[in-house]
Amino acid sequence: MVSMIADPVDKEFWFRIGTLYGLQGDTAKQAAAFEQGRQAYAALGEDLPATAYIAMGDTVAAYEAARTMVKDEQDPEDQYNKACILAQTGHSDEAITTLRRSLECGFSNFYHIAWDPDLDSLRDMPDFIALINEFQQLAEQRKQRLHERIDTDLNY
C-alpha cells in the first residue's frame, strides 16, 4: 500500500514512514523504508540529511551532518533546525548556542520552541530557560516600542 501512495523519489517520505513502522515494532518494514529513502537520495546524488540519520537512530552521523547543514548563516530556520538536531544528538551546549544564533537571526516562534519535542533534552537546562526568557523579553520590548510608535503616529 505504501508504494501505491508514495512517490519513489520522495526522499523524506521514506524516513517518516520508516519511523512509523518502527513505532509499530515492524523492524523489517522499517529497514525497507529506510533503504528506499537511502536509494532516493542516492538517485538524486544527494547525501542523507541529519534528519534521516535521526530517524535511523544514528546520532553520530546525524551530528556530523548537522555540522554542515546550515547553508546560510543568517537563515533563522536553518539555525533552528540545526539546534534541534544537536539537541537530539546530545550536544546540548552546542544546541543552545545554535538556538541563540537562530533567535539572533530572527526566529521568533516561541510557541514552536515551547512544544517542539526535538528540544525536550534542553528544557530543564538553566541556560535554555535563560535564553528563552531573554528573547521573550526582547520580543515584548519590541512590541511595546511598536505600539508606542503607532500611538505617536496616530496622535493618541
Side-chain angles (χ1 to χ4, degrees):
M1 170 136 174
V2 169
S3 62
M4 291 172 51
I5 61 170
D7 177 350
V9 293
D10 181 354
K11 309 168 295 196
E12 292 297 319
F13 169 82
W14 294 108
F15 292 97
R16 288 190 302 272
I17 199 73
T19 300
L20 290 174
Y21 283 136
L23 292 172
Q24 293 174 344
D26 193 334
T27 56
K29 286 183 180 177
Q30 179 185 37
F34 288 159
E35 183 55 32
Q36 287 287 333
R38 279 191 204 96
Q39 289 176 16
Y41 274 95
L44 296 170
E46 297 178 17
D47 294 328
L48 290 177
T51 53
Y53 289 115
I54 288 290
M56 294 185 296
D58 188 345
T59 57
V60 173
Y63 175 70
E64 290 303 317
R67 294 178 67 202
T68 61
M69 72 184 281
V70 174
K71 303 299 181 216
D72 177 358
E73 292 295 325
Q74 301 302 314
D75 185 325
E77 295 287 331
D78 278 359
Q79 294 287 347
Y80 180 80
N81 290 330
K82 180 179 179 180
C84 289
I85 297 295
L86 293 169
Q88 290 176 294
T89 59
H91 295 86
S92 301
D93 291 339
E94 198 173 349
I96 290 172
T97 299
T98 305
L99 183 59
R100 172 177 289 283
R101 179 77 181 129
S102 172
L103 292 165
E104 289 169 348
C105 289
F107 192 88
S108 61
N109 189 340
F110 293 104
Y111 178 81
H112 187 71
I113 293 171
W115 295 104
D116 191 339
D118 294 346
L119 300 175
D120 283 350
S121 65
L122 307 178
R123 296 207 191 284
D124 294 331
M125 295 180 66
D127 288 347
F128 177 81
I129 295 165
L131 175 65
I132 299 308
N133 288 338
E134 174 188 344
F135 276 87
Q136 283 180 320
Q137 288 174 355
L138 286 172
E140 285 300 317
Q141 289 170 358
R142 279 189 221 115
K143 188 165 77 173
Q144 181 61 34
R145 284 193 303 270
L146 178 62
H147 285 289
E148 289 169 1
R149 200 166 59 203
I150 290 170
D151 289 348
T152 299
D153 290 348
L154 295 175
N155 294 318
Y156 282 117

